Amino acid sequence: MTKKLNIDPINTWINNEKDPLIISGPCSAETYDQLFETCKQLKSHGINLMRAGVWKPRTRPGTFEGNGEEALKWISDIKKELDVQFTVEVANTNHIELALKYGIDILWIGARTTVNPFSVQEIADSLKGTDTPILIKNPINPDLSLWMGALERINKAGINKLGAIHRGFSMTGKSKYRYVPMWKIAIDLKSNLPNLPVICDPSHICGNRDMIFETSQKALDLGYDGLIIESHIDPDNAWSDAKQQITPKTLSKMKKDLKVKSTKEKEKSYQHLLNEIRENIDDVDKEIIDIISKRIGLVEKIGEFKKEQDLTTFQVDRWNEIFKSRIDWAIEKGLEKDFIEDLYKVIHLGSINVQNKIINKKKANFKI
Ligand code: PEP
Ligand code: MN
């Protein structure tokens, strides 16, 4: 069940008049000069909200892991110098305390943190009583509940300036993306929480420069509220995520070429995708009904057989076996144990009902 979240409209906490809203800056704050120059160029192209990684959650240790507090000092100077706003990633209480001390405008929770409810709860507890907006990236794994759970935890701590960032999902198998977008998950998030601002991160989705434009356009066509795109004055020599960063100049060209749809058109795009998914659900439901009807046919056969052989309709061994095997099969498919248990209680009781009617010579009537 979806809990309604209290969310302040995005235009009350981000200046999103710019169409499209673009947050940009380097993957990592490497040096003062790199950060200052990147931000200066971005600002000259009309971008006022900068991103920069200060603590870098790298997959393997031993690579550059961010400049920490030192980088926050640079950010604080650059904010004053260029009159820009900043967002940085935080992953624990210490990060939050420092980020707030240096006047960071917006915090974001990274994909590797969203997966862990312990960490998200720690962050939520540290945020109580603060008013800084929070953006929550999707978890690395394609799990909508985990994403929604993180949003709920932060919202419960009294943070109403809240948004989500869709950065794609880690999947096995080949893909042209670094992190597969699985747009349906973000659309489901938006349909569960219609007032939640959702920002797309094409840089991490693509993992390369070539697909950033088309992925950004797709996000805008789907009605996303903005984009967060990594940029660097010298992308090839970036200390992290070099392949996916673009120069502020390339970003500026992209920004001009991106087409933003009107709210009506955005709604239509969402509606179109929702309808497509609903049509698929209709087809699946028809298959379910077909299969249930097939199953009842078999149950009726058993009913006739038990009547002939004078057997009881309810046989405890079979009941136990059904519960055990179906739950095992369902878990293998990633389904919830409780859900399948409930479903099979209904199906099995329905079968007994059908058989009883046959044994008592009444016409079968399967009611769920
Ligand atoms: C980043 O934004 O640079 C980053 C580390 O993101 P993610 O949490 O999406 O991997
Ligand atoms: Mn990055």
Side-chain angles (χ1 to χ4, degrees):
M1 207 184 60
T2 310
K3 291 203 182 73
K4 254 198 93 47
L5 303 186
N6 289 321
I7 295 169
D8 293 348
I10 185 169
N11 60 1
T12 63
W13 50 275
I14 285 188
N15 178 1
N16 71 337
E17 276 158 29
K18 302 244 175 355
D19 235 359
L21 162 71
I22 296 182
I23 303 170
S24 188
C27 177
S28 308
E30 299 164 5
T31 65
Y32 177 85
D33 289 346
Q34 167 253 8
L35 188 60
F36 180 81
E37 196 48 37
T38 307
C39 295
K40 195 175 117 194
Q41 290 187 22
L42 287 170
K43 165 106 185 177
S44 78
H45 295 299
I47 288 165
N48 293 308
L49 180 49
M50 311 296 166
R51 59 147 286 151
V54 164
W55 298 279
K56 293 308 296 177
R58 307 305 296 279
T59 305
R60 308 278 297 268
T63 45
F64 171 65
E65 296 207 307
N67 286 304
E69 188 167 359
E70 184 64 15
L72 289 173
K73 288 182 193 155
W74 306 336
I75 290 175
S76 162
D77 288 348
I78 293 171
K79 269 170 60 62
K80 283 182 218 123
E81 185 81 22
L82 297 176
D83 186 26
V84 290
Q85 290 195 310
F86 256 91
T87 176
V88 305
E89 174 176 354
V90 291
N92 58 39
T93 303
N94 179 43
H95 293 170
I96 291 170
E97 279 169 6
L98 285 169
L100 297 183
K101 175 175 154 197
Y102 286 94
I104 301 300
D105 304 278
I106 296 175
L107 307 179
W108 93 75
I109 297 179
R112 289 160 192 79
T113 308
T114 312
V115 285
N116 183 351
F118 285 121
S119 301
V120 176
Q121 191 56 53
E122 177 191 322
I123 292 173
D125 294 340
S126 314
L127 288 171
K128 274 191 190 130
T130 67
D131 195 35
T132 307
I134 309 289
L135 301 172
I136 305 186
K137 286 203 175 195
N138 65 258
I140 286 259
N141 51 326
D143 185 338
L144 176 61
S145 302
L146 213 43
W147 199 2
M148 292 194 32
L151 288 155
E152 283 161 9
R153 277 178 203 277
I154 302 297
N155 196 229
K156 258 174 98 178
I159 305 297
N160 297 346
K161 295 170 180 160
L162 194 57
I165 300 177
H166 175 208
R167 52 79 77 201
F169 301 90
S170 213
M171 302 290 286
T172 51
K174 277 208 165 126
S175 167
K176 62 177 180 168
Y177 297 104
R178 178 180 180 198
Y179 294 109
V180 184
M182 303 184 75
W183 298 99
K184 185 181 171 300
I185 295 184
I187 288 161
D188 284 349
L189 178 76
K190 190 82 178 168
S191 46
N192 280 320
L193 303 168
N195 55 351
L196 177 77
V198 183
I199 289 169
C200 182
D201 174 349
S203 306
H204 289 88
I205 288 179
C206 298
N208 65 65
R209 284 164 214 156
D210 306 339
M211 296 189 308
I212 292 180
F213 179 79
E214 64 185 67
T215 307
S216 302
Q217 186 61 62
K218 170 143 191 177
L220 295 179
D221 291 348
L222 288 172
Y224 280 60
D225 298 273
L227 302 165
I228 177 164
I229 300 179
E230 288 185 340
S231 60
H232 193 289
I233 37 158
D234 183 8
D236 285 333
N237 291 307
W239 298 0
S240 58
D241 288 349
K243 284 195 198 129
Q244 70 195 32
Q245 303 207 56
I246 56 176
T247 61
K249 201 169 155 207
T250 306
L251 179 67
S252 161
K253 160 111 183 53
M254 232 179 238
K255 189 165 150 258
K256 284 187 197 118
D257 293 342
L258 285 170
K259 290 193 178 49
V260 182
K261 297 191 167 180
S262 69
T263 313
K264 270 230 165 83
E265 281 176 309
K266 285 180 195 168
E267 277 166 11
K268 255 200 218 153
S269 292
Y270 262 115
Q271 205 52 49
H272 178 69
L273 256 144
L274 270 182
N275 287 345
E276 203 177 298
I277 298 165
R278 283 182 182 144
E279 278 168 23
N280 290 343
I281 288 183
D282 288 351
D283 291 344
V284 170
D285 281 347
K286 278 184 208 147
E287 279 178 40
I288 291 178
I289 302 276
D290 267 1
I291 286 173
I292 288 179
S293 139
K294 244 189 229 163
R295 196 182 195 281
I296 289 173
L298 295 169
V299 165
E300 282 170 352
K301 271 193 194 157
I302 289 210
E304 301 289 353
F305 181 80
K306 284 184 182 165
K307 186 171 158 41
E308 265 172 42
Q309 305 294 320
D310 218 11
L311 295 172
T312 56
T313 40
F314 179 73
Q315 295 187 336
V316 72
D317 290 350
R318 176 66 177 155
W319 173 269
N320 289 338
E321 197 272 316
I322 284 193
F323 266 74
K324 192 178 168 332
S325 57
R326 274 50 172 181
I327 287 166
D328 288 348
W329 300 342
I331 288 174
E332 231 169 74
K333 290 269 172 200
L335 298 173
E336 292 276 334
K337 179 174 177 275
D338 291 353
F339 166 65
I340 288 299
E341 235 171 44
D342 289 348
L343 182 66
Y344 266 92
K345 262 181 214 153
V346 175
I347 290 180
H348 197 66
L349 287 174
S351 298
I352 289 171
N353 184 23
V354 168
Q355 292 179 35
N356 278 339
K357 284 185 175 161
I358 288 179
I359 286 169
N360 297 326
K361 284 210 158 156
K362 281 186 193 151
K363 201 173 175 303
N365 182 14
F366 186 77
K367 271 188 197 149
I368 293 186

